[in-house]
Amino acid sequence: MFILRTEGLLNTVLLHLGVISAPLEILYTDTAVLIGLVYGYLPFMVLPLYAAIERLDRSVVEAAWDLYASGWSVFRRVILPLVKPGVIAGCVLVFIPALGAFITPDLMGGARSVMVGTLIQHEYLVVRDWPLGSALSFVLMGIVLVAVLVYLRAERAVESR
């Protein structure tokens, strides 16, 4: 919030550099929510990717270069399939907590931003409609369960190769 507000760091730097003439109103928008979620959940994606890339056998990549593969072909046909488990793990690790996030959208987006987590929180705490809040929670839990099952199936398919 310190960075994105009207008198914040981002607007101050952009104004001093002459990139903008008036401060941008980013806070309390969907863009601010997106920036906040990316900022908060980026480590959950980076760490599995780093672990997968660290385990990558460099000799396979070198062999692809020796066979005159282009940079894009090396990435698409060699590196990406080898780090696919890390990509899938990172996506699941980001998807699950981001789906239920309610603090970040509430702080960064204000009342204008509605996500599943904020909707459930609103149903429980403001409207006091516990049956609807419970139903939404169960739907959210079902979505997470399906996502985890898809992840496990994809992981088994990668391991069986």
Side-chain angles (χ1 to χ4, degrees):
M1 291 180 68
F2 172 74
I3 295 171
L4 297 180
R5 65 184 178 181
T6 309
E7 307 85 26
L9 183 65
L10 179 66
N11 278 321
T12 304
V13 169
L14 291 176
L15 283 170
H16 284 305
L17 291 176
V19 177
I20 58 175
S21 59
L24 299 173
E25 304 237 357
I26 299 174
L27 198 57
Y28 306 121
T29 63
D30 290 337
T31 304
V33 173
L34 182 66
I35 291 170
L37 288 173
V38 168
Y39 175 79
Y41 294 119
L42 190 65
F44 293 109
M45 187 68 192
V46 169
L47 291 175
L49 278 176
Y50 176 76
I53 291 170
E54 189 69 26
R55 285 183 302 188
L56 186 67
D57 186 9
R58 307 274 190 248
S59 63
V60 176
V61 176
E62 187 177 326
W65 284 111
D66 288 345
L67 293 171
Y68 300 106
S70 66
W72 176 246
S73 287
V74 171
F75 176 74
R76 189 171 49 91
R77 295 184 181 201
V78 178
I79 295 173
L80 194 58
L82 290 175
V83 299
K84 189 175 186 180
V87 172
I88 292 170
C91 288
V92 169
L93 285 173
V94 168
F95 174 73
I96 291 172
L99 202 58
F102 62 92
I103 295 295
T104 304
D106 199 32
L107 291 175
M108 304 291 279
R112 293 185 227 161
S113 177
V114 177
M115 293 180 62
V116 176
T118 56
L119 181 61
I120 292 171
Q121 177 200 24
H122 184 265
E123 291 301 320
Y124 274 115
L125 300 178
V126 177
V127 180
R128 303 264 189 221
D129 188 359
W130 288 41
L132 181 59
S134 299
L136 289 172
S137 297
F138 269 97
V139 168
L140 181 63
M141 201 167 42
I143 291 170
V144 170
L145 179 66
V146 167
V148 170
L149 290 176
V150 167
Y151 164 70
L152 291 175
R153 178 169 284 183
E155 188 70 28
R156 261 191 248 123
V158 169
E159 288 176 2
S160 66
R161 282 192 229 170

